[in-house]
Amino acid sequence: MPAIDELLDVNGVAKDELTLIVATIGPGGYTGLRVGVSVAKTLAYALGIGAVGVNRLFADAAGWLNGRRSVCAVHRAGRKDLAVAVYGGTTQNPEELLAARLIPIDGLASLLPAAALVSGEIEDEQLVQLRAEGHEAWGGIGGQRRPLLVAKLGLRTVADGATTEPQALLPVYLRSPVQEPGSEA
């Protein structure tokens, strides 16, 4: 909350001037998603405004979509896995070619369509391998989501008719939670 207050303050925006909350909804880690989505919903309820979610992998891919090639968005998912999704088309008219899923880190290259652009949390060794196999691959800065792009994607989602009811804002998980069975004492 202090970071949100600071962001609004730096930009000279009061909370009562907000008209919509846009949040990335995952896939991602349980705690981060729960907290982030809860904060977004709470702000929306408290301010009496709508909220809409943007898929994290789509946000990673959207800036690269230009209709010329497939774009694979990647982020580390722990346990030696990657979360990946493949998109085609353009940012304005995207097509999901491969739905978000978890794969082993070493399984990325075999999943990709020919000459795909790969962007996201990719290790240097994988970047070299992907490029050697004919893919364009970007990690680091090239693979980071941009808040302005996420905001634009959220506004487009609303323009396309998505609900802005805060209770509809739900996190996207690709893995079941790890829980120890309770003891019956």
Side-chain angles (χ1 to χ4, degrees), residues 34-50:
R34 281 192 203 122
V35 169
V37 169
S38 294
V39 167
K41 286 175 142 177
T42 300
L43 279 173
Y45 280 123
L47 298 171
I49 60 177

Side-chain angles (χ1 to χ4, degrees), residues 64-71 87-89 97 114-118 134-137:
W64 299 100
L65 290 172
N66 60 18
R68 293 186 301 230
R69 66 168 85 188
S70 303
V71 176
Y87 301 91
L97 302 176
L117 186 146
V118 186
H135 302 290
E136 183 177 348

Side-chain angles (χ1 to χ4, degrees), residues 17-33:
E17 294 178 81
L18 299 176
T19 59
L20 179 71
I21 301 294
V22 178
T24 55
I25 55 171
Y30 291 101
T31 303
L33 282 177

